[in-house]
Amino acid sequence: MNAIAPLDLSAVTPLLPQSGVANMSRRGFLGSAGALLLGVALPLGRAKAEEGAAAIPPKPGTRVPAFLEIRPDGSVKLLSPFVEGGQGINTGIAQIVGEELDVNPARFEVECAPPGPDYALVNGIRMTGGSFSTRSSYAPMRRLGATAREMMIRAAAERLGVQSSELETDDGKVVHKASGRTVGYGELAAKALLLTPKDDVVLRDPATFRYIKRPIARLDVRAKSTGKAIYAIDQKVDGMLYAAVQHAVHFGSNPTALDNEAAVKAMPGVHSIHLLPGAVAVTANSWWRARKAVEALKAQWTSPKPTGIDTIAADFSSQGMLDALKGSKSEALPAESEGDAAAAFARAAKVIEAEYDAPYLAHAQLEPPSAIARFNGDGKLEIWLPNQMPELFQATAAKTAGIQPDQVIVHSPMLGGFFGRHFMYGPSNPFQQAILLAKATGRPVKVLWSREEEFLNDALRPLSHTRFRAALGADGYPTAIEARTVGEGPIGRWFGALFNTPVDSSAVEGVVEKPYAIPNRKMEFVKLAHPVNIAFWRSVGHSMNDFFYEGFLDEIALAGGKDPFELRLALLKDKPRQKKLLQAVADLSGGWKRGPYEAEGGKRARGVSMASPFGSETATIAEVSLEDGSTRVHNIWVVIDPGSIVNPAIVKAQVESAAALGLSTALFEQVVYENGVREAKNYDAYQILRRENMPAVHVGIIESGEPMGGIGEPGLPGVPPAVVNAVAALTGQRIRSLPISKTKLSGV
Amino acid sequence: MITLSINGESHTVDVEPETPLLWALRDTLGMTGTKYGCGIAQCGACTVLVDDQAMRSCQFPVSRVGKSKITTIEAIEQDEVGRKVVEAWVAQQVPQCGYCQSGQVMAATALLKETPKPTEEDILYGMSNLCRCGTYNMVAAAVRQAAA
Ligand code: FES
Ligand code: FES
């Protein structure tokens, strides 16, 4: 047995280093891309390691050789600041760069770049998330492509002995029309990329775009259709041991001893047995053997602490946590205030109130997490791991290994789904275990979590609760709305050092900043920390909060005797962008009708909702019926206005994917804790959307020309409220607690 | 030692007889196109063909393979039906993260070998693999295209 000292938790929290990072509001962070460049948020230690001239970081997104390798055959390798996980960013970024460089994106190969300050494009930070990738990189990557093209032209001018002004380009070649001579980029690249870039290059006139805004085929589809795409789980290095782990039943307790170590050591293929912080591990010559062995281990564990946020107490339950959120008497902080809500309530003709909640959710991405760690002969650590922030994982890996960040080489393979799973969540990521085991065994080690370990140790979308009150005037229109949201969001948990604001935007987004003309608003937030490890999860706070708000807005409509669609239209009278969107989704669905109505031999009804997630706007309509007391969704119509787009086919695919996930949460998903333990360990108990639950999804795109918004997440938040509102139209039953499957619905 | 016939070649593996075929493929033979998703025959990411039938290899011990012929995603384009399925997958741009898609392509190939002109009902029951990215409609469209 090989006991490894408990992890220094300072190695994993806080998420971002405090030094060198200016405090800022998330609003600034989320403002239009490039609006606010942060002090460079580099991992600790880097500045020290790079003192001297090299300590001055390049302006992210400007150094051509950091991004482009143009090969002799004219194909292009693009090192991307982002990691591909199905959202299509590799293709989108190839379209953007290819458009200006004048190379067909089909000849691009795109790889996630290693750590480095060149790639910190999201307001001075490097990350793939927040639906930021395209909107943050669109302008700099166009400029980068144009800069590189101009360097090709200059190199060709020298080679051909002509003026640059006499040259043009044509899909990877520089052309001298007058003499009919051409030179391929591949021949020019070696010289061209050494030239000093010009910073006043002219960008292409969007009217002449050939790739941007076109439904270009995604670059990785054939590899993904033939099993050739390589994910973290598929990586292998010479001499590697496979490790399987078994975590503590109660998060926060640690292994102290093993009862049957010798017997397990004698099992086939077993190499070594280890005690880790919060887990036991076995290494072996195949993962299956390691898993069999680790499951056979009988370990003694410390008892969980009775309370606290770094442990799950033995009597913790998700219901108890919800009760705590509901029962909180703490003073609230204002998250949005407008007018005089108290006065409006005093004058109200009618007051309604309701409470909404939504459960913990697992990411349940289909690829279970894994990581490989290898200490190289030169003292460097090399890691292969799924991640959305290479520099941060590099810094954390360095701390775990006790070396400097620049001694850590990070490989970021394509992700088998992420949905927010691969941020840094401390003990919910396996790479630190891989590092500790590689150190202990002196061999490269690949740690793979079984699906069961993943369901039990994933960081979760937080459970949350909001209590609403609305005042209605004699005309039935709302005059005031109040909300009290109690809980905690992942921004506060993991980026607290960076966004030092009392109100956690990721806890209240979707309840605040709605577009409706309700003159008096008092939206409040109470922070109540979860003992559970909480996560970013596709569309973050919007994933539940738009359900809360838009469900309650339907209740307001009905209390005032109004049709929910007509009420929204009336409340958007001063918001032309959202009003147009709402009308567009009604048109896409063949005209608004709430129902119930007869269709295909049964009764159906529709619900509507709106959301403003991640800089985009969406309007959603869902059509439902009841089948044996459960909800059947037939159609979902979503119109999205992301300002402007790069690839309409990818936008549609992402909106449909997000809608499917939103529906999955509306109908089925919940992580339930009972006696300090999560109940579901696999997909048999944690139900996700299956083929038989999949509706037709109809996506419309409006390009309003507003600043570019996100695409990967915004399709989600409108779906749960549209479905719940449709269920209410059909059955009269108002669902205020997800998933819907908890509620027995009666026929109509 | 157990001998397996995989993609027309014979391979010998030194594993315990109860080892799931999935892990013999992935770890012992290095054929990582077949994916691990759940290990309990729920998701279908590990689907291979055993004598042209779709089989969830995470629950299929190597001892039960016997003389059966195994086809994995690595050889899918050597199969006439498999090739059509892949072309339809590319034409319909089915994959998103792609992790489930090896299994989806194998399940579609098995379905179309058995039922060359599947009804919607056949697709519903034949294509039961999970996709967390929600590509179900694209998968169905690609199956229809491959059958056409
Ligand atoms: S891994 Fe075999 S069905 Fe999921
Ligand atoms: S494409 Fe991602 S799980 Fe299916």
Side-chain angles (χ1 to χ4, degrees), chain A residues 48-104:
Chain A
K48 238 182 278 154
E50 290 184 354
E51 262 162 26
I56 302 163
K59 186 164 182 275
T62 60
R63 247 175 15 97
V64 174
F67 291 84
L68 291 178
E69 181 192 319
I70 299 174
R71 295 149 167 166
D73 67 356
S75 66
V76 176
K77 177 162 160 188
L78 172 65
L79 290 174
S80 168
F82 308 107
V83 64
E84 175 65 54
Q87 78 279 44
I89 189 61
N90 280 1
T91 308
I93 205 162
Q95 284 176 259
I96 298 167
V97 174
E99 184 70 65
E100 296 289 351
L101 177 60
D102 200 0
V103 173
N104 190 325

Side-chain angles (χ1 to χ4, degrees), chain A residues 683, chain B residues 22 35-47 56-59:
Chain A
Y683 293 108
Chain B
L22 171 65
K35 302 303 185 202
Y36 166 58
C38 67
I40 59 164
Q42 279 283 315
C43 74
C46 63
T47 305
R56 294 188 169 174
S57 64
C58 67
Q59 286 282 312

Side-chain angles (χ1 to χ4, degrees), chain A residues 553-554 557-558 560-570 592-595 606 608:
Chain A
L553 187 59
D554 258 42
L558 300 177
K562 313 241 177 280
D563 175 83
F565 179 86
E566 297 301 334
L567 177 70
R568 283 176 175 81
L569 216 48
W592 168 249
K593 54 174 175 179
R594 185 167 186 252
R606 295 185 186 183
V608 63

Side-chain angles (χ1 to χ4, degrees), chain A residues 370-393:
Chain A
S370 63
I372 298 177
R374 177 176 75 190
F375 286 93
N376 296 336
D378 58 3
K380 288 199 168 158
L381 167 65
E382 203 161 352
I383 51 177
W384 289 257
L385 76 174
N387 77 86
Q388 300 175 238
M389 285 184 98
E391 289 73 11
L392 182 62
F393 281 75

